[in-house]
Amino acid sequence: MIQTNSHRPDIVLRITAAVFAILGVFLAGGGIWLALLGGSCFYVVCGVVLLATAVLLWRRRREALWLYAVLVAATLVWSVGEAGFDFWALAPRGDVLLPLGLWLVLPFVSSRLLPSSGWNSAPLLAGVVAGAGVYGYALTQDPQDVAGVLPRAGVQASSSPLPGDNTVVPAADWPAYGRTQAGDRYSPLSQITASNVRDLKVAWVFRTHDLKRPDDPGEITDEATPIKVRDTLYLCSPHQILFAVDAATGHERWHFDPKITYNASYQHMTCRGVSYAETPVAEEQAHDVAVADDCAHRIFLPTNDGRLFALNADTGALCRGFGRDGALDLTDGMPMRTPGFYEPTSPPVITSKVAIISGAVTDNYSTHEPSGVTRGYDLYSGKLIWAFDPGNPNPNELPSATHHYVANSPNSWITSAYDARLNQIYIPTGVATPDIWGGHRTPDQERYASGILALDADTGRKVWFYQTVHHDLWDMDVPSQPSLVDIKQADGAVVPALYAPAKTGNIFVLDRRNGHLLVPAPEMPVPQGAAPGDHLSPTQPFSALTFRPKNNLTDADMWGATMFDQLACRIMFKRLRYEGPFTPPSTQGTLVFPGNLGMFEWGGLAVDPVREVAFTNPIAVPFVSRLVPRGPNNPAEPPQNAGPSGGEAGLQPQYGTPFGVDLHPFLSPIGIPCKQPGWGYVAGLDLRTNTVLWKHRNGTTRDSSPVPLAFRVGVPSLGGPIITAGGVAFLTSTLDMYIRAYDVTTGQQLWQDRLPAGGQSTPMTYEENGHQYVLSVDGGHGSFGTKLGDYVVAYALPDAQVKH
């Protein structure tokens, strides 16, 4: 028995040596590959030392401890030199080597090494303790954090009404997608404050019972922001079912199912919201249709199959005088009318005369798809008043027996903003699809692509256009509703400004009267070398107000759960083409950062027009795009009677061009981001100086890691924030299922609550019966990977804290 026990440590040493040898071979081999690609040589050194340590352990030599102590010390110096004291960047550099060092100094290992001495382990133990100290200190630091304070109080920016003036919009209501059509996502309610927000409780829960169906696309999403008018909430579910809900109790009043024409190859199944219009009493006599239909209060519902419905907001009945029995067919005039190719997923803009709507087209399918035309329809009859077709030499030409809208005109898939004083609509535009190769595009298709287009709301005539990306080959469109705010200058002058967050991370600040830049965005040289048959713009505009990375990524920015998958990511990175922002697509594979998902998505900014500050949630996730030449498995034309391609990731056909494209996030072999965290933030902007005054990581790994641990690394988000006069901002949207409240002044998190499903939506707030409610739609996002559901959750303060 004694003899058996005496041999066990030798077995442990042999097993330990074998493990070190295996790890050494992997690191040395991978390190040589990385070094040949021009990356760090440290992995080669590390692998060789591990192999030498394995040999010494096999021979039971104490020098194994000394040699490994040198490796631990060198690793700490190398790690801090590459990553600084950012714990999450340091973690994969030492999360294997330090525990192995601790293993070696354990008595039942170290005491078997010869010659035996009590001091054999001292150097290595000192190194392990130093490592623990470095990592412990790094836990208290966050080099990515920007601490600051936004202006705490403000003066009204202008004596004239703000866009979407709150004297017109009752403070208790939220009657449009962005509360006002200025896209500010700001509420003047102040019952909930930084001091009492922690006491919020669930007031009621409503369930739509509209869940994913077997033949739905992967990207089924619940991105709706409800609107609230008087005592009723209006919201739509993923299959575009419209619900009217009592704002105080969450009880359903009525619902309307448009019974959409279904196509299993839809790219999306999404409804972001609905719009409201109200006929003033003085105008009712001038609009017999409105009186006859009893639709003085009406809701407009866009649907995935290309229709726009008008319904009585009080009863849910169709407004029969609008269009054909209450609906418009938005595929009228299109060059093709296959269901699924044209999908209006965002609510229309409403003026006193017209409903203005744009729509998404299928991404990256072919060069022959519906037009991205924006149209203005009479608010009451649904008659087409005007059109703006960006790909037409005469964009205002209306369809006729001899003319259809131009195929593949640049589209706009998110809600536009509207300034009632100037009577101008501001449309965020995308690119003529396919997105990732543009040699086929005409000058007309390029003219209004990827920018902000200002139109006269009554006529659809162009007022001005500003392009944020030239010859866009990266899907870097303007994805968010612009935010309109009047900014008081130092000399007292008031400038009507427009803030347009772009996928590139740039925020373009324009004078909305004429499109002139208010914040410099100089043209700067960008990488060249287009794919065969394509071309590139030599320069791109770079706004001075931006969240884009200050420096290009290097292999030192690659990440992993361990040193080994980090090494794999470094090799993958060095094999891709990457020369910074706007590196062109390639057959080699191009790293796109900011990625195709964008640093900003459809959530946009939340702007307090009184304090002249903004709250936002930028993200940072690289993508890879690889052009795939045509061949037998990648034909140039779609199969006969083919429908649109479902989804926006994976191999996209781009029929009609020389290349398909493979698009995907830049992930490690074990499926985690290759770029080190953070991947998502909240940030505060001072709009008087147009500077970022604070920025913090946002969100945890609670719902995206194999072990449900809530590490606050900063995770991606899809959705947007709101901001209130109580000094509190609210945001859901992250990969973890939480609603959070933040102090607008500092960005510090004040409160959070667990959601029943993913919250990939923008919340809203309203008042009813003396209570301020905060409401979130929690249905998840299929392609984002969050839990699906059908929940609408309202929060409020307890009765005892509400002053009636």
Side-chain angles (χ1 to χ4, degrees):
M1 192 67 149
I2 296 174
Q3 185 178 8
T4 302
N5 286 338
S6 68
H7 284 290
R8 283 181 181 169
D10 294 341
I11 295 173
V12 170
L13 281 181
R14 294 295 175 91
I15 293 174
T16 301
V19 170
F20 273 62
I22 293 169
L23 299 181
V25 168
F26 183 92
L27 287 178
I32 291 170
W33 190 0
L34 177 62
L36 291 174
L37 292 170
S40 172
C41 294
F42 185 80
Y43 293 88
V44 179
V45 175
C46 185
V48 170
V49 172
L50 282 174
L51 287 170
T53 302
V55 171
L56 292 170
L57 287 171
W58 191 270
R59 295 179 177 179
R60 299 181 61 187
R61 299 298 305 172
R62 66 180 178 181
E63 287 83 356
L65 302 180
W66 300 349
L67 180 60
Y68 200 78
V70 172
L71 177 61
V72 167
T75 299
L76 290 176
V77 172
W78 168 73
S79 299
V80 172
E82 277 202 331
F85 291 100
D86 184 332
F87 176 81
W88 295 109
L90 285 174
R93 291 166 167 86
D95 61 3
V96 171
L97 295 183
L98 287 179
L100 287 176
L102 182 61
W103 172 261
L104 290 180
V105 299
L106 292 176
F108 67 82
V109 178
S110 59
S111 65
R112 300 299 298 170
L113 299 175
L114 301 174
S116 180
S117 169
W119 295 100
N120 283 350
S121 302
L124 180 53
L125 182 60
V128 172
V129 170
V134 167
Y135 277 74
Y137 175 73
L139 274 172
T140 69
Q141 308 297 305
D142 188 354
Q144 297 185 32
D145 192 78
V146 177
V149 177
L150 289 176
R152 294 180 183 272
V155 197
Q156 188 73 12
S158 169
S159 58
S160 59
L162 291 166
D165 185 8
N166 290 325
T167 61
V168 176
V169 177
D173 286 357
W174 189 287
Y177 176 71
R179 186 173 182 274
T180 71
Q181 295 192 110
D184 46 25
R185 282 163 281 281
Y186 165 77
S187 171
L189 298 177
S190 58
Q191 185 180 98
I192 298 170
T193 66
S195 60
N196 65 21
V197 67
R198 65 182 179 276
D199 297 321
L200 283 178
K201 304 294 182 186
V202 174
W204 53 259
V205 176
F206 173 73
R207 300 193 66 174
T208 67
H209 302 291
D210 184 15
L211 297 166
K212 179 176 171 61
R213 302 171 185 174
D215 49 358
D216 277 332
E219 189 161 326
I220 181 170
T221 71
D222 211 342
E223 298 177 354
T225 299
I227 62 174
K228 188 259 186 182
V229 182
R230 288 181 285 276
D231 62 353
T232 305
L233 293 159
Y234 303 94
L235 63 123
C236 54
S237 61
H239 295 94
Q240 294 96 63
I241 302 172
L242 172 61
F243 295 87
V245 176
D246 185 292
T249 66
H251 293 153
E252 181 181 318
R253 289 183 166 160
W254 55 260
H255 75 268
F256 170 77
D257 186 348
K259 301 187 185 305
I260 60 173
T261 302
Y262 199 71
N263 187 314
S265 57
Y266 279 135
Q267 274 199 345
H268 312 269
M269 192 57 66
T270 299
C271 186
R272 294 190 181 90
V274 297
S275 297
Y276 175 79
E278 183 168 315
T279 307
V281 175
E283 293 184 16
E284 288 191 4
Q285 299 304 317
H287 295 283
D288 294 335
V289 169
V291 176
D293 283 350
D294 191 25
C295 277
H297 305 155
R298 57 182 60 199
I299 295 292
F300 291 93
L301 169 71
T303 61
N304 269 65
D305 57 359
R307 291 180 289 170
L308 179 65
F309 288 87
L311 298 107
N312 185 313
D314 302 319
T315 66
L318 287 166
C319 298
R320 297 291 179 182
F322 181 84
R324 299 185 186 96
D325 290 327
L328 297 176
D329 184 349
L330 299 177
T331 67
D332 284 348
M334 288 292 183
M336 60 179 307
R337 303 180 68 169
T338 305
F341 279 91
Y342 178 79
E343 302 178 78
T345 58
S346 299
V349 165
I350 303 298
T351 78
S352 61
K353 299 178 181 179
V354 292
I356 304 170
I357 190 163
S358 306
V361 301
T362 301
D363 278 338
N364 298 320
Y365 183 70
S366 80
T367 56
H368 184 68
E369 295 190 32
S371 171
V373 61
T374 295
R375 288 164 282 188
Y377 294 92
D378 183 272
L379 202 58
Y380 304 102
S381 68
K383 178 184 176 182
L384 179 64
I385 303 299
W386 58 259
F388 192 95
D389 185 358
N392 190 337
N394 174 13
N396 294 119
E397 184 178 5
L398 296 177
S400 66
T402 58
H403 172 71
H404 289 90
Y405 298 120
V406 175
N408 282 44
S409 283
N411 68 312
S412 177
W413 51 271
I414 191 62
T415 299
S416 300
Y418 174 61
D419 183 336
R421 282 180 293 160
L422 295 175
N423 196 34
Q424 290 179 10
I425 180 173
Y426 304 96
I427 304 171
T429 67
V431 69
T433 190
D435 300 334
I436 316 299
W437 192 86
H440 64 289
R441 297 178 196 157
T442 68
D444 290 319
Q445 288 177 319
E446 299 273 35
R447 184 172 40 168
Y448 299 116
S450 297
I452 297 292
L453 175 64
L455 304 180
D456 181 285
D458 286 348
T459 66
R461 299 288 178 181
K462 186 188 83 167
V463 180
W464 55 261
F465 175 74
Y466 178 82
Q467 192 163 69
T468 59
V469 178
H470 312 314
H471 192 60
D472 183 0
L473 301 177
W474 306 268
D475 194 19
M476 290 293 154
D477 51 15
V478 180
S480 311
Q481 181 185 32
S483 294
L484 313 182
V485 60
D486 291 349
I487 302 297
K488 190 172 184 178
Q489 304 294 294
D491 61 2
V494 174
V495 176
L498 176 150
Y499 284 77
K503 285 186 178 180
T504 56
N506 293 306
I507 300 177
F508 293 92
V509 187
L510 307 167
D511 186 323
R512 61 180 184 271
R513 296 169 297 190
N514 50 34
H516 294 169
L517 285 166
L518 298 176
V519 171
E523 295 281 336
M524 300 174 63
V526 292
Q528 298 296 293
D534 210 338
H535 62 278
L536 293 164
S537 171
T539 63
Q540 296 286 355
F542 287 80
S543 176
L545 178 57
T546 187
F547 286 91
R548 69 179 183 273
K550 293 181 180 178
N551 301 305
N552 291 347
L553 295 175
T554 69
D555 66 311
D557 296 306
M558 298 303 105
W559 196 69
T562 67
M563 194 175 196
F564 305 101
D565 53 310
Q566 183 189 39
L567 171 58
C569 281
R570 292 177 91 136
I571 293 170
M572 291 163 61
F573 171 80
K574 297 299 288 187
R575 296 183 69 197
L576 294 170
R577 182 176 180 187
Y578 174 70
E579 298 150 38
F582 300 108
T583 302
S586 63
T587 55
Q588 172 186 346
T590 291
L591 184 72
V592 183
F593 186 62
N596 297 67
L597 194 60
M599 297 201 84
F600 290 103
E601 256 290 336
W602 48 265
L605 309 178
V607 173
D608 183 334
V610 179
R611 290 175 65 172
E612 296 178 336
V613 300
F615 183 102
T616 189
N617 56 313
I619 62 177
V621 180
F623 267 60
V624 174
S625 69
R626 183 176 63 87
L627 294 175
V628 181
R630 294 295 174 202
N633 297 322
N634 186 20
E637 298 298 332
Q640 191 172 7
N641 300 321
S645 58
E648 294 178 281
L651 183 62
Q652 306 292 293
Q654 298 199 135
Y655 293 123
T657 76
F659 300 95
V661 62
D662 183 22
L663 294 172
H664 56 268
F666 185 36
L667 302 178
S668 77
I670 62 173
I672 63 176
C674 269
K675 176 197 162 292
Q676 68 189 27
W679 307 302
Y681 306 86
V682 289
L685 310 179
D686 183 345
L687 303 184
R688 298 175 189 172
T689 59
N690 289 303
T691 52
V692 179
L693 290 191
W694 56 256
K695 186 176 82 167
H696 312 302
R697 299 188 202 226
N698 185 56
T700 72
T701 58
R702 169 67 176 77
D703 296 300
S704 54
S705 63
V707 180
L709 298 176
F711 297 124
R712 194 174 71 88
V713 299
V715 298
S717 58
L718 269 181
I722 63 170
I723 193 169
T724 70
V728 181
F730 293 92
L731 178 69
T732 56
S733 80
T734 50
L735 273 175
D736 56 350
M737 299 191 305
Y738 290 94
I739 180 172
R740 294 182 170 92
Y742 309 82
D743 185 323
V744 171
T745 303
T746 64
Q748 296 304 309
Q749 184 178 310
L750 302 170
W751 167 83
Q752 69 177 25
D753 191 56
R754 186 81 171 148
L755 298 174
Q760 278 62 61
S761 62
T762 300
M764 50 86 74
T765 185
Y766 62 92
E767 184 178 272
E768 189 64 25
N769 296 338
H771 288 76
Q772 181 182 352
Y773 293 85
V774 176
L775 187 144
S776 173
V777 172
D778 310 316
H781 194 290
S783 62
F784 202 51
T786 53
K787 179 183 176 182
L788 300 182
D790 64 334
Y791 301 88
V792 181
V793 182
Y795 295 88
L797 295 172
D799 284 342
Q801 297 187 28
V802 176
K803 296 179 181 179
H804 294 283

